[in-house]
Amino acid sequence: MRDRNYLFNNVDWFSVDQHQRRELAKEIDSINGDRLLNSSVEDLCDYFEKKYKIEVPVLRPDNIVADQRETKIDVSGDRRRYFSNPGQPFYVNGTTVEISVPFEGDSEAFKVQPTSYTMNPPRAEIKNNNLVIKIEGTDLSADQVRNEVNRTISDIEGYLVTLRSNTQGWNTQIRSLAHAAIEQRRTKLLKDRNLLGDLGFKIKAREGEARTYTAPEVRRKLAPSLPPASTTPYKPEPTLANADYEHILSVIQNMVHVMERSPSAFTSMDEESIRSHFLVQLNGHYEGQATGETFNYQGKTDILIRSEGKNIFIAECKFWSGPKKLIETIDQLLGYSSWRDTKVAVIIFNRNKDFSKVLESIQEATKVHSNFKRQMASTSETMFRYVFAHRDDPNRELLVAVMAFDVPA
């Protein structure tokens, strides 16, 4: 007989689901307000996703370890035996076999009763990262032990399959639930600070100005800790509105399509000459606010857009000369970026033959940069979007668009 160490028998799944939701909401509500505002929302979501995700264990039966020892077994319940003192324990020599089954995942999950279960759940002890199945008897055989072990493991696997189905719904919701709760609290905190609407600077577009180019069609393709953040009073910073950022990128992209249609006009142009064409188009849309070779923070940048005396967009234009040069360009761009610069771009012109290889190299090189945080969805096969950490503050995030174009050689 075995010890009564029932698995999947402590708490039902519905209670666990409700508990996780309450604890997630409670922790978000308890974070210091200024720390919450000074933290990256996505970094906070990463933390909550890791902390509240339930990792249902995976058994590793290929690595089973067996052990046996002699033990005393009470056989007073064996009706086939005669006892002079019925009702009293009677011990005889027997054998205990312990089968240790390694697993990976959260051991606490073995305590959760899934939505489908039996009245006689499997039994085993949880020791570190092993399930220990104990079998005792006075005359054990190898076949008997093997069959018992296989049956128990099969029962456990059945419970785990159901539990994975239960937890999948919760695990896929964590990030969205956390994101919604964080944004809701941020909105309240900002409202308490008498801020209205979003804080983006709207660039004043020319009244009645016709768009020079039409946008082209494109193919769309372990215990965690809170991210470090300051608890000093949060000071909102003005940023470029997303709609304006997207429009600026579209103006640049459309200008390149003009270059592709009229290659002879751009064949002999260097970086400065090509940049000047971009400045003309941008100033045509934004009242002359784009300038070249303008000092910003601690260096020079190729394209800079200012609004009411503040830098709200900066970009670097470079001819492709390898991954190392791209990393240097990103460093250069981050060096220009002041606290208010949150949307930047790297514009790469390719005069080499293998443009596909260049695109692959861009993605590989960008992701190994020390300030890289994550990649965002792209709207084009030749434009990639990333989130980078500000070099002086990991909680300050910059949106970096890397745009690559084939230009006439």
Side-chain angles (χ1 to χ4, degrees), residues 235-255:
K235 295 181 179 179
E237 295 289 336
T239 61
L240 178 67
N242 286 332
D244 289 322
Y245 182 53
E246 295 299 330
H247 181 254
I248 290 170
L249 296 181
S250 71
V251 171
I252 294 172
Q253 195 167 32
N254 293 336
M255 182 60 198

Side-chain angles (χ1 to χ4, degrees), residues 207-240:
E207 293 295 333
E209 180 71 15
R211 295 294 183 249
T212 308
Y213 309 108
T214 302
E217 293 184 0
V218 295
R219 286 181 289 173
R220 302 197 180 271
K221 302 244 178 273
L222 245 156
S225 57
L226 276 170
S230 171
T231 56
T232 55
Y234 174 77
K235 295 181 179 179
E237 295 289 336
T239 61
L240 178 67

Side-chain angles (χ1 to χ4, degrees), residues 232-282:
T232 55
Y234 174 77
K235 295 181 179 179
E237 295 289 336
T239 61
L240 178 67
N242 286 332
D244 289 322
Y245 182 53
E246 295 299 330
H247 181 254
I248 290 170
L249 296 181
S250 71
V251 171
I252 294 172
Q253 195 167 32
N254 293 336
M255 182 60 198
V256 173
H257 289 301
V258 172
M259 296 168 60
E260 293 172 345
R261 297 186 194 106
S262 306
S264 60
F266 299 92
T267 301
S268 60
M269 287 189 178
D270 56 14
E271 289 177 4
E272 184 175 356
S273 299
I274 293 177
R275 182 199 59 203
S276 297
H277 280 272
F278 284 104
L279 292 173
V280 169
Q281 297 305 319
L282 288 169

Side-chain angles (χ1 to χ4, degrees), residues 31-47:
I31 299 176
N32 174 276
D34 288 306
R35 178 173 188 169
L36 186 75
L37 291 172
N38 283 315
S39 296
S40 158
V41 173
E42 295 303 322
D43 285 354
L44 287 172
C45 288
D46 288 342
Y47 160 74

